[in-house]
Each structure stands twice: as structure tokens, then as C-alpha cells.
Amino acid sequence: MNNENFVENQPHLDKQTTSEETTHFGFKTVAKSEKQKLVENVFNSVAGKYDLMNDLLSFGIHRIWKRFTIDCSGVRKGHKVLDLAGGTGDFTAKFSRIVGNTGEVVLADINAAMLEVGREKLRNLGIVGNVNYVQANAEELPFADNTFDCVVISFGLRNVTDKDKALRSMLRVLKPGGRLLVLEFSKPILDPLSKAYNFYSFNILPKIGEAVVNDGESYRYLAESIRMHPEQDILKEMMEEVGFEQVSYYNLSAGIVALHRGYKF
């Protein structure tokens, strides 16, 4: 079957296409109990060259997407920020400078290998003092209610097994008036771009992964996981259903990436 036609026919809302016991791992249907380990294996494989691959695969544009996210965060001196699924700490590095000595940034990731890469990277940058590191599952965040002024999850929500549960957990740990920012790959809004993007994702991206990290299959999974992630309007509805208010989103790079923002009141 042609990859392009296949991905165009894939649903974007996994909670409507799986049972209570199963979920998606890319285009595969797997037991929910298995997905976390399968995702862990992917990121164990790519952790060491994660930043390099981000630059290669996005042609450096991911830096612009992240800068826009920071501009939309409202974070200021003294705030407490959760960088969830924060990986190698790009957001943590920026936010630590913004919140200053009176604030705090928590870099949290479920994957120990990614968290260790992030810790080493930030220490090498001289970022210490107002940053803490926590290995945590987004579905069951180990923080008290009303802890953070801002929660950011960047390119991580699509890998979560139970997205509704994770969104409720993020809402719980936010302070009243706090905001959630979800930066994630999404659905291109231009048809010609969508076709070109599909070709790149399934024909070029795995080959780059094979050449750089000797693992084309992990990058094929990442491409598949993007196609199975809820598209813009559906994710907006999911955020509203769990209790976020004034939810909106911005299409970046014509919808290749979307930034969703919601508030807790």
C-alpha cells in the first residue's frame, strides 16, 4: 500500500479507534500496558543525538517554534514552570533564565536516558540552582495540586498512552490562572504541503535516522505517531473536556506544528 494514501486515511483521534485495553503505537495497535515500554525503547535509542536530529529534520525551524511558545507562556521572574517530557532541556534552559533565582523550573521526563542527556547538557551550559530534575509519567504527575504557573509539553503528548488522563494531571498541578502550552506536530492545512510532508516523513526521515543514529525504525514510528495524534480541533476539544478554559491554538509552518494554549481558572 502506498504510504501517502495510507497516512491520509488514518484517524487522528486514538480514543475513538481503540478499546479500553488497547492503544496505538504508530500505526500498530498494542496493549496499553505495552506502549510505555515501546516508547521508552525508541527514546533510549535516539537520546544521544536527539538535538542533532531535531536540527537536521526540521532544518532548524524547531527553534522558531519554541521561541514562539516561550513568547506565549506569560512566564516571568519568580514563576514555577514544569517542562514536561522536556527531554534535553531546550525549554528549561530558556525558562531558567526568565524565572531567575526566585523561580524554579522542573525538567520532567518519563525516559531516564533523555533526562540524563538533558541534565548533562544544562550543567555544561552552567544552568544550575533553579532547575530540578524529576523522572515522571505525565499521566500521574508526582506534584501537589496548584504547584505551577505554567506547564509546557513539547513534542511529547503524542507519545502518551492516555492523553485525557495526562491532560487532567497537568490541569491538577497548575495554579489557578496558570496556563498549559502543548507544542506538537499536527495536520498541515495546505493539501500540497500535506502530500510533500507525507513523502518526506515516510521516505526521507527514516533514512536520515538510519544514517545518523543507525535506527530508521524509531524515526518511522515517530512519523506514524504524528499521523495518529489528534488534529488541531480535536485536541482543543480534549483540553476543554478535561477542564481547560479559553483554549486556542496557533498553526505554525502551515499546521505542520500547532501550539495549543489553555488556562486553569
Side-chain angles (χ1 to χ4, degrees):
M1 180 179 290
N2 181 281
N3 273 332
E4 182 176 296
N5 293 332
F6 184 62
V7 297
E8 286 181 348
N9 291 328
Q10 292 304 307
H12 279 72
L13 182 55
D14 56 9
K15 69 177 182 179
Q16 289 184 352
T17 58
T18 56
S19 71
E20 292 182 359
E21 293 79 27
T22 62
T23 189
H24 291 298
F25 177 73
F27 290 161
K28 299 175 184 177
T29 299
V30 299
K32 285 186 174 181
S33 59
E34 296 177 2
K35 180 171 179 176
Q36 182 176 321
K37 182 63 177 178
L38 292 170
V39 171
E40 180 182 355
N41 291 340
V42 168
F43 285 94
N44 283 343
S45 175
V46 305
K49 294 187 177 179
Y50 185 79
D51 286 341
L52 172 62
M53 289 296 289
N54 278 349
D55 280 328
L56 288 175
L57 298 177
S58 74
F59 306 102
I61 299 173
H62 73 97
R63 299 175 187 275
I64 298 173
W65 300 332
K66 291 172 181 176
R67 181 72 259 176
F68 181 76
T69 302
I70 291 169
D71 291 343
C72 291
S73 70
V75 171
R76 57 185 184 271
K77 186 175 181 179
H79 272 185
K80 190 167 185 176
V81 179
L82 174 60
D83 182 9
L84 183 57
T88 58
D90 281 354
F91 276 114
T92 296
K94 300 293 186 183
F95 282 127
S96 70
R97 296 184 178 100
I98 295 172
V99 303
N101 294 333
T102 59
E104 180 187 1
V105 183
V106 176
L107 174 56
D109 201 292
I110 195 171
N111 186 275
M114 291 289 288
L115 198 62
E116 186 55 36
V117 171
R119 187 198 305 266
E120 182 178 358
K121 172 182 169 180
L122 295 177
R123 286 178 174 172
N124 289 340
L125 291 172
I127 298 172
V128 295
N130 65 350
V131 174
N132 287 306
Y133 304 86
V134 176
Q135 187 172 359
N137 186 334
E139 298 174 22
E140 299 176 351
L141 293 172
F143 308 108
D145 296 358
N146 308 318
T147 296
F148 297 99
D149 297 283
C150 182
V151 175
V152 177
I153 180 166
S154 170
F155 306 115
L157 185 60
R158 73 180 187 278
N159 297 310
V160 173
T161 302
D162 189 331
K163 295 175 179 61
D164 287 326
K165 188 176 181 181
L167 289 170
R168 286 193 295 270
S169 187
M170 295 176 215
L171 182 70
R172 178 185 63 79
V173 302
L174 273 172
K175 296 177 182 178
R179 69 186 76 183
L180 168 66
L181 298 169
V182 181
L183 182 66
E184 187 56 87
F185 290 107
S186 198
K187 184 178 181 180
I189 59 178
L190 302 176
D191 188 57
L193 176 62
S194 181
K195 286 181 167 56
Y197 183 46
N198 284 341
F199 179 84
Y200 171 77
S201 298
F202 288 93
N203 294 278
I204 307 300
L205 189 153
K207 291 180 180 177
I208 298 175
E210 183 66 33
V212 177
V213 299
N214 196 32
D215 187 355
E217 282 305 307
S218 287
Y219 282 92
R220 180 169 293 279
Y221 157 71
L222 293 175
E224 292 176 356
S225 71
I226 292 168
R227 301 318 187 277
M228 301 309 295
H229 183 67
E231 62 187 51
Q232 291 90 321
D233 286 326
I234 296 175
L235 181 56
K236 178 177 182 288
E237 292 174 5
M238 292 171 66
M239 291 173 65
E240 291 170 338
E241 286 173 1
V242 302
F244 285 98
E245 300 184 35
Q246 296 183 11
V247 179
S248 60
Y249 65 82
Y250 303 89
N251 283 316
L252 308 178
S253 299
I256 288 177
V257 165
L259 173 65
H260 284 69
R261 178 170 63 181
Y263 295 83
K264 175 179 178 177
F265 291 117

